[in-house]
Protein backbone atom coordinates (compact mmCIF):
# COMPACT_ATOMS: atom_id res chain seq x y z
CA UNK A 1 0.00 0.00 0.00
CA UNK A 2 1.52 3.31 -1.07
CA UNK A 3 1.37 6.33 1.20
CA UNK A 4 0.50 9.75 -0.12
CA UNK A 5 3.48 12.12 -0.28
CA UNK A 6 4.57 12.52 3.35
CA UNK A 7 6.08 15.58 5.02
CA UNK A 8 8.31 15.33 8.13
CA UNK A 9 7.77 17.23 11.34
CA UNK A 10 7.97 17.02 15.13
CA UNK A 11 5.05 16.15 17.40
CA UNK A 12 4.30 18.93 19.87
CA UNK A 13 1.14 17.53 21.46
CA UNK A 14 -2.00 15.50 20.81
CA UNK A 15 -5.26 16.76 22.32
CA UNK A 16 -9.04 16.46 22.09
CA UNK A 17 -8.45 12.95 20.68
CA UNK A 18 -8.48 14.04 17.04
CA UNK A 19 -6.05 16.97 17.01
CA UNK A 20 -2.26 17.18 17.04
CA UNK A 21 0.04 20.20 16.97
CA UNK A 22 3.03 19.51 14.74
CA UNK A 23 6.04 21.61 13.82
CA UNK A 24 6.94 20.98 10.21
CA UNK A 25 10.52 20.76 9.02
CA UNK A 26 10.34 24.29 7.62
CA UNK A 27 9.40 25.69 11.06
CA UNK A 28 5.66 26.11 10.52
CA UNK A 29 3.34 24.91 13.26
CA UNK A 30 0.18 23.22 11.98
CA UNK A 31 -2.82 21.46 13.46
CA UNK A 32 -3.21 17.97 12.01
CA UNK A 33 -6.07 15.52 12.15
CA UNK A 34 -5.21 12.54 14.38
CA UNK A 35 -7.12 9.57 12.90
CA UNK A 36 -6.94 7.42 16.02
CA UNK A 37 -9.65 7.05 18.66
CA UNK A 38 -7.51 4.99 21.04
CA UNK A 39 -5.38 6.05 23.97
CA UNK A 40 -2.24 5.83 21.82
CA UNK A 41 -0.40 4.53 24.87
CA UNK A 42 3.38 4.52 24.22
CA UNK A 43 2.80 6.11 20.78
CA UNK A 44 1.83 9.66 21.75
CA UNK A 45 5.38 10.87 22.43
CA UNK A 46 5.98 14.61 21.96
CA UNK A 47 9.40 15.49 20.56
CA UNK A 48 9.52 12.53 18.19
CA UNK A 49 9.68 12.88 14.44
CA UNK A 50 6.36 12.33 12.68
CA UNK A 51 5.15 12.14 9.11
CA UNK A 52 2.02 13.93 7.92
CA UNK A 53 0.10 13.94 4.64
CA UNK A 54 -1.24 17.19 3.13
CA UNK A 55 -4.69 17.65 1.62
CA UNK A 56 -5.88 20.21 -0.90
CA UNK A 57 -9.56 19.38 -0.35
CA UNK A 58 -11.26 22.73 0.40
CA UNK A 59 -14.06 20.93 2.26
CA UNK A 60 -11.68 19.68 4.94
CA UNK A 61 -11.33 21.65 8.15
CA UNK A 62 -7.72 20.50 8.60
CA UNK A 63 -5.20 20.38 5.77
CA UNK A 64 -2.91 17.83 7.41
CA UNK A 65 -3.26 14.22 8.61
CA UNK A 66 -0.88 12.61 11.07
CA UNK A 67 0.21 9.30 9.54
CA UNK A 68 3.34 7.93 11.26
CA UNK A 69 5.64 8.46 14.22
CA UNK A 70 9.26 7.39 14.73
CA UNK A 71 9.96 5.94 18.19
CA UNK A 72 13.38 5.06 19.68
CA UNK A 73 13.97 1.31 19.46
CA UNK A 74 16.39 1.20 22.39
CA UNK A 75 19.26 0.19 20.12
CA UNK A 76 20.15 3.57 18.68
CA UNK A 77 17.63 3.38 15.85
CA UNK A 78 13.92 4.03 15.44
CA UNK A 79 10.77 2.04 14.87
CA UNK A 80 8.12 3.39 12.51
CA UNK A 81 4.55 3.26 13.81
CA UNK A 82 1.28 4.06 12.05
CA UNK A 83 -1.15 6.18 14.04
CA UNK A 84 -3.72 6.16 11.21
CA UNK A 85 -6.10 3.34 12.13
CA UNK A 86 -7.93 3.73 8.83
CA UNK A 87 -4.91 2.47 6.91
CA UNK A 88 -5.00 -1.01 8.50
CA UNK A 89 -8.00 -2.34 6.59
CA UNK A 90 -6.70 -1.09 3.25
CA UNK A 91 -3.35 -2.72 3.98
CA UNK A 92 -4.97 -6.03 4.92
CA UNK A 93 -7.31 -5.95 1.93
CA UNK A 94 -4.35 -5.53 -0.41
CA UNK A 95 -2.57 -8.42 1.33
CA UNK A 96 -5.64 -10.65 1.03
CA UNK A 97 -6.06 -9.92 -2.67
CA UNK A 98 -2.34 -10.58 -3.26
CA UNK A 99 -2.52 -13.87 -1.28
CA UNK A 100 0.05 -12.63 1.26
CA UNK A 101 -1.92 -14.25 4.09
CA UNK A 102 -1.78 -17.96 3.20
CA UNK A 103 -4.30 -18.88 5.90
CA UNK A 104 -6.93 -16.77 4.12
CA UNK A 105 -6.04 -17.42 0.48
CA UNK A 106 -8.31 -19.00 -2.12
CA UNK A 107 -11.53 -17.01 -1.72
CA UNK A 108 -13.76 -16.17 -4.69
CA UNK A 109 -15.24 -12.91 -3.44
CA UNK A 110 -14.22 -10.27 -0.89
CA UNK A 111 -16.76 -7.96 0.71
CA UNK A 112 -15.76 -5.12 3.03
CA UNK A 113 -17.76 -4.18 6.13
CA UNK A 114 -20.05 -7.18 6.42
CA UNK A 115 -23.03 -6.57 8.74
CA UNK A 116 -23.76 -9.67 10.82
CA UNK A 117 -25.23 -10.42 14.24
CA UNK A 118 -25.90 -6.76 14.96
CA UNK A 119 -22.29 -5.78 14.34
CA UNK A 120 -20.10 -4.90 11.39
CA UNK A 121 -17.00 -6.97 10.68
CA UNK A 122 -14.22 -5.84 8.37
CA UNK A 123 -14.31 -8.57 5.70
CA UNK A 124 -16.40 -11.46 4.46
CA UNK A 125 -14.49 -13.87 2.22
CA UNK A 126 -16.81 -16.02 0.14
CA UNK A 127 -15.52 -19.28 -1.29
CA UNK A 128 -16.73 -20.70 -4.60
CA UNK A 129 -17.92 -23.65 -2.56
CA UNK A 130 -18.09 -24.07 1.19
CA UNK A 131 -18.45 -21.77 4.16
CA UNK A 132 -17.89 -18.03 4.41
CA UNK A 133 -14.93 -16.63 6.32
CA UNK A 134 -15.47 -13.51 8.42
CA UNK A 135 -12.39 -11.48 9.31
CA UNK A 136 -12.03 -8.72 11.89
CA UNK A 137 -8.82 -6.64 11.75
CA UNK A 138 -7.27 -4.94 14.76
CA UNK A 139 -4.31 -2.59 14.39
CA UNK A 140 -1.64 -3.14 17.04
CA UNK A 141 0.67 -0.25 17.93
CA UNK A 142 1.32 -0.82 21.64
CA UNK A 143 4.81 -2.10 22.42
CA UNK A 144 5.28 -2.19 26.17
CA UNK A 145 8.58 -1.86 28.01
CA UNK A 146 8.91 -5.65 28.14
CA UNK A 147 9.49 -5.58 24.36
CA UNK A 148 6.22 -7.28 23.40
CA UNK A 149 3.19 -6.08 21.45
CA UNK A 150 -0.26 -5.90 23.05
CA UNK A 151 -3.87 -5.18 22.11
CA UNK A 152 -5.93 -3.20 23.01
CA UNK A 153 -4.23 -0.06 24.33
CA UNK A 154 -7.28 0.77 26.48
CA UNK A 155 -10.63 -0.81 27.39
CA UNK A 156 -12.45 -1.84 24.21
CA UNK A 157 -16.04 -2.98 24.64
CA UNK A 158 -16.52 -2.77 20.87
CA UNK A 159 -13.53 -5.03 20.34
CA UNK A 160 -14.88 -7.55 22.83
CA UNK A 161 -18.25 -7.54 21.06
CA UNK A 162 -16.49 -8.32 17.77
CA UNK A 163 -14.94 -11.39 19.40
CA UNK A 164 -18.34 -12.60 20.54
CA UNK A 165 -19.79 -12.10 17.06
CA UNK A 166 -16.97 -14.13 15.52
CA UNK A 167 -17.68 -16.95 17.99
CA UNK A 168 -21.40 -16.85 17.15
CA UNK A 169 -20.59 -17.14 13.45
CA UNK A 170 -18.32 -20.12 14.09
CA UNK A 171 -21.13 -21.79 16.03
CA UNK A 172 -23.35 -21.34 12.95
CA UNK A 173 -20.86 -23.15 10.74
CA UNK A 174 -18.88 -20.22 9.36
CA UNK A 175 -15.20 -19.49 9.81
CA UNK A 176 -14.28 -16.59 12.11
CA UNK A 177 -10.83 -15.00 12.11
CA UNK A 178 -9.31 -12.22 14.18
CA UNK A 179 -6.29 -10.72 12.44
CA UNK A 180 -3.91 -8.54 14.43
CA UNK A 181 -2.11 -6.14 12.09
CA UNK A 182 1.01 -4.91 13.91
CA UNK A 183 1.54 -1.44 12.43
CA UNK A 184 4.75 -1.00 14.43
CA UNK A 185 7.98 -2.19 12.83
CA UNK A 186 9.42 -3.11 16.23
CA UNK A 187 6.65 -5.55 17.21
CA UNK A 188 7.53 -9.21 16.65
CA UNK A 189 4.79 -10.86 18.71
CA UNK A 190 1.32 -10.03 20.00
CA UNK A 191 -0.62 -10.81 23.19
CA UNK A 192 -3.92 -9.60 24.67
CA UNK A 193 -3.42 -6.62 26.99
CA UNK A 194 -4.87 -8.15 30.15
CA UNK A 195 -3.25 -5.37 32.20
CA UNK A 196 -5.37 -2.78 30.37
CA UNK A 197 -8.54 -4.69 29.46
CA UNK A 198 -8.81 -7.99 31.37
CA UNK A 199 -12.31 -8.64 30.02
CA UNK A 200 -11.02 -8.51 26.44
CA UNK A 201 -8.18 -10.90 27.28
CA UNK A 202 -10.56 -13.40 28.90
CA UNK A 203 -12.99 -13.19 25.99
CA UNK A 204 -10.22 -13.69 23.45
CA UNK A 205 -9.05 -16.86 25.16
CA UNK A 206 -12.64 -18.11 25.42
CA UNK A 207 -13.53 -17.55 21.76
CA UNK A 208 -10.25 -19.10 20.62
CA UNK A 209 -11.29 -22.25 22.49
CA UNK A 210 -14.65 -22.08 20.67
CA UNK A 211 -12.99 -22.14 17.26
CA UNK A 212 -12.22 -18.51 16.41
CA UNK A 213 -8.85 -18.39 14.65
CA UNK A 214 -6.37 -15.72 15.72
CA UNK A 215 -3.59 -14.52 13.43
CA UNK A 216 -0.95 -11.83 13.81
CA UNK A 217 1.04 -10.27 10.99
CA UNK A 218 3.79 -7.66 10.96
CA UNK A 219 4.53 -4.86 8.51
CA UNK A 220 7.53 -3.68 6.53
CA UNK A 221 7.89 -0.08 5.39
CA UNK A 222 9.87 0.82 2.28
CA UNK A 223 11.49 4.21 1.80
CA UNK A 224 12.23 6.33 -1.26
CA UNK A 225 14.14 9.62 -1.36
CA UNK A 226 14.30 9.75 2.42
CA UNK A 227 10.57 9.33 2.97
CA UNK A 228 8.30 6.38 3.84
CA UNK A 229 6.84 5.31 0.51
CA UNK A 230 4.85 2.10 1.02
CA UNK A 231 3.93 -0.54 3.59
CA UNK A 232 3.05 -4.21 3.28
CA UNK A 233 2.30 -7.21 5.46
CA UNK A 234 5.46 -9.27 5.27
CA UNK A 235 5.60 -11.86 8.06
CA UNK A 236 3.49 -13.86 10.45
CA UNK A 237 4.11 -12.98 14.09
CA UNK A 238 4.17 -15.14 17.20
CA UNK A 239 0.90 -15.07 19.13
CA UNK A 240 0.73 -15.70 22.89
CA UNK A 241 -2.75 -15.56 24.40
CA UNK A 242 -1.46 -16.21 27.92
CA UNK A 243 1.39 -13.67 28.16
CA UNK A 244 0.97 -11.08 30.90
CA UNK A 245 2.76 -7.74 30.91
CA UNK A 246 4.79 -6.91 33.98
CA UNK A 247 6.03 -3.39 34.58
CA UNK A 248 9.81 -2.98 34.30
CA UNK A 249 10.17 -1.76 37.89
CA UNK A 250 8.49 -4.90 39.23
CA UNK A 251 10.53 -7.37 37.17
Amino acid sequence: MHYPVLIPGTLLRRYKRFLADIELEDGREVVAHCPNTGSMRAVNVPGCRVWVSPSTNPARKLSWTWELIELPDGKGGVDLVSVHTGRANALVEEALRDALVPELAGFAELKREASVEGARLDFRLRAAQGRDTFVEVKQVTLKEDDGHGYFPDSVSERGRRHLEVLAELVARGHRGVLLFCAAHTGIDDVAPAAHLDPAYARTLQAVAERGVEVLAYGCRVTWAQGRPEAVMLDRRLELNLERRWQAAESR
Side-chain angles (χ1 to χ4, degrees), residues 33 36 46 49 66-67 73 86 96 103 123 139 151 158 164 168 171 186 189 204 206 212 229-230 236 241 250:
H33 173 55
N36 192 313
R49 184 157 89 150
W66 181 11
E67 299 277 354
D73 66 0
L96 291 173
E103 299 88 347
F123 298 103
Q139 177 170 289
F151 182 89
R158 182 170 178 268
E164 294 170 343
E168 291 165 9
D189 54 65
L204 179 55
V212 174
E229 180 188 42
R236 183 166 177 177
L241 299 187
S250 65

Side-chain angles (χ1 to χ4, degrees), residues 106-218:
F107 57 86
E109 175 190 334
L110 181 151
K111 175 179 173 56
R112 294 192 63 168
E113 299 186 348
S115 296
V116 288
E117 300 294 331
R120 190 167 58 186
L121 299 179
D122 291 318
F123 298 103
R124 183 192 69 199
L125 306 180
R126 177 150 288 172
Q129 295 181 338
R131 57 183 177 167
D132 286 347
T133 297
F134 292 89
V135 182
E136 177 64 17
V137 176
K138 297 301 182 187
Q139 177 170 289
V140 182
T141 60
L142 174 58
K143 182 180 180 182
E144 290 284 29
D145 59 7
D146 62 358
H148 300 293
Y150 293 90
F151 182 89
D153 63 2
S154 61
V155 173
S156 178
E157 286 298 322
R158 182 170 178 268
R160 192 166 66 85
R161 174 56 182 157
H162 285 151
L163 295 177
E164 294 170 343
V165 170
L166 287 172
E168 291 165 9
L169 290 167
V170 170
R172 287 167 44 188
H174 300 296
R175 187 182 176 200
V177 179
L178 175 69
L179 196 160
F180 288 122
C181 173
H184 184 311
T185 59
I187 288 179
D188 295 317
D189 54 65
V190 177
H195 58 299
L196 299 175
D197 191 345
Y200 183 90
R202 289 193 299 269
T203 302
L204 179 55
Q205 287 184 307
V207 301
E209 292 172 359
R210 292 164 60 188
V212 174
E213 301 169 49
V214 187
L215 304 173
Y217 271 79

